[in-house]
Amino acid sequence: MATSLADIVPPGVVTGDNLLKLLEHARDNAYAIPAVNCTSSSTINACLEAAKKNNSPVMIQVSNGGGAFMVGKSIKDPNAAAAGSVALAMHVRSVAKYYGVPVVLHSDHCAKKLLPWFDGMLKADEEYFAKNGEPLFSSHMLDLSEEPDEENIAICVEYFKRMAPMKMWLEMEIGITGGEEDGVNNEDVDPEKLYTTPQQVYAVYDALSKISPMFSIAAAFGNVHGVYKPGNVTLQPERLLKHQEYTKEQISSPLEKPIYLVMHGGSGSTDDEIATAVKNGVIKMNIDTDTQWAYWDGLRAFEKDKHDYLQGQIGNPTGADKPNKKFYDPRVWIRKAEESMIARVGVSMDKLGSVGTYPASSEPGYPDFGSVSSADAEESCSIL
């Protein structure tokens, strides 16, 4: 690689110009960053540890359902998902700097019916920006792919104008990802709608590029949410190159890949399909189903191995009066789940080519809370 990522992007949560530099580096050097859905401090820490272990940047993302879980399943307040998402983000903000790698703090699919959740997070971003000169989150996703293209793009434009003064990244989706996730069910969708056209992608680029360069497009190429055996999903990642070529021609870009693309529904994809997608400009791939299984599998294996020590507080194969606290202590079995998830995130980093792109720093990363001055914040706004 011509330029070392560590020379241009600091460790810790990255936003604004540093985020743009990170994703430019990924695009220009043909690797992608795994974006892992997290629902707890434990799953967050597992992702951060995997990033440190593999010398890779990482994206921590929260879904609407994940935010609702984070605040507590018993809470039925309409603002619960936003509150939980902010709580998750604050945990990442508190600990990310100690892992020595760049961390992108992102929110996942937001359908039209979930816009109040998006509004709540954006309000938290604006409040954090006013105090610290940068938003709480690095980026957000709007998934209005169920709506007509014109409405999808118009709503994205409206929100992007609000996000741009904070130099926030917007991810949007055009075309439909099959399967089901967070209450959006596309299991019976017309298969042809699973493939976005170059013209659709360019329409997004044309509208959003007038506001800011900080956006990415999740263009469907047969993707399906959920878990499937390799070969059971008909992915066509070569279509992504056609999107790049069409937009390049329309704007006369000197770049071979002028669009930042995102891959959803990667479970069951072959290594070759993932490699082709990354080669054609994918800079982020969502990981959820596989890491959910890995987290559970670590616990499952531990319970199987230590079953006879987990049937009561006292009594095990070594003696009827022997205590079992060191086996049922949550810090023991949660750690086993984390270790399994750490390994699986590492697999994704390897497949996406991000391993070794950022030697983990031994110095605490940026930013500390409140480390950006108000003058820096004003300068950030004036640039736009």
Side-chain angles (χ1 to χ4, degrees), residues 179-323:
E180 189 276 334
E181 182 170 75
D182 246 13
V184 177
N185 193 323
N186 293 323
E187 292 176 316
D188 299 318
V189 73
D190 178 356
E192 195 55 36
K193 292 185 179 179
L194 297 177
Y195 301 99
T196 307
T197 68
Q199 291 77 17
Q200 287 177 294
V201 171
Y202 176 66
V204 175
Y205 182 92
D206 184 54
L208 297 186
S209 63
K210 295 171 182 175
I211 302 169
S212 165
M214 297 184 64
F215 66 92
S216 52
I217 303 171
F221 54 99
N223 322 55
V224 178
H225 288 129
V227 60
Y228 300 85
K229 290 183 178 179
N232 284 8
V233 177
T234 307
L235 288 181
Q236 298 182 21
E238 62 276 3
R239 287 179 178 243
L240 300 178
L241 181 59
K242 297 183 184 301
H243 302 330
Q244 300 282 11
E245 292 173 340
Y246 185 83
T247 294
K248 174 181 170 65
E249 181 180 356
Q250 294 300 311
I251 65 175
S252 300
S253 175
L255 299 171
E256 289 300 313
K257 296 174 289 187
I259 311 167
Y260 297 98
L261 295 171
V262 173
M263 180 175 177
H264 293 176
S267 295
S269 304
T270 66
D271 290 355
D272 285 346
E273 287 167 340
I274 293 172
T276 299
V278 173
K279 179 182 176 182
N280 290 334
V282 163
I283 47 84
K284 167 185 181 276
M285 186 173 87
N286 285 9
I287 315 289
D288 188 15
T289 305
D290 292 333
T291 45
Q292 286 180 349
W293 169 258
Y295 194 87
W296 155 249
D297 198 40
L299 173 56
R300 181 201 59 78
F302 174 74
E303 192 282 331
K304 181 179 180 180
D305 182 46
K306 304 298 182 183
H307 179 272
D308 292 344
Y309 296 82
L310 297 168
Q311 303 311 303
Q313 287 184 286
I314 303 293
N316 60 51
T318 66
D321 59 347
K322 297 294 185 180

Side-chain angles (χ1 to χ4, degrees), residues 123-196:
K123 182 175 183 290
D125 287 319
E126 290 168 338
E127 292 174 351
Y128 193 90
F129 184 86
K131 295 177 181 178
N132 301 298
E134 62 176 2
L136 176 61
F137 287 84
S138 310
S139 55
H140 294 297
M141 182 195 181
L142 285 171
D143 179 2
L144 304 167
S145 56
E146 290 186 312
E147 315 306 324
D149 285 1
E150 294 77 10
E151 182 179 2
N152 180 352
I153 295 171
I155 294 175
C156 286
V157 165
E158 178 185 346
Y159 275 100
F160 200 30
K161 287 179 178 178
R162 184 175 167 188
M163 296 166 67
M166 295 182 285
K167 289 193 173 182
M168 294 199 76
W169 192 277
L170 174 67
E171 177 186 333
M172 69 84 67
E173 182 164 342
I174 192 159
I176 294 174
T177 300
E180 189 276 334
E181 182 170 75
D182 246 13
V184 177
N185 193 323
N186 293 323
E187 292 176 316
D188 299 318
V189 73
D190 178 356
E192 195 55 36
K193 292 185 179 179
L194 297 177
Y195 301 99
T196 307

Side-chain angles (χ1 to χ4, degrees), residues 48-64:
L48 295 174
E49 186 171 341
K52 180 180 178 68
K53 182 177 180 180
N54 289 279
N55 296 306
S56 169
V58 69
M59 296 189 181
I60 304 293
Q61 63 185 24
V62 61
S63 67
N64 177 271

Side-chain angles (χ1 to χ4, degrees), residues 12 16 43 74 85 112 146 201 360 381 383:
T43 51
S74 68
S85 299
K112 188 176 181 180
E146 290 186 312
V201 171
C381 290
I383 294 173

Side-chain angles (χ1 to χ4, degrees), residues 9 18 64 125 163 238 328 374 384:
V9 176
N18 286 328
N64 177 271
D125 287 319
M163 296 166 67
E238 62 276 3
Y328 65 75
S374 58
L384 293 164

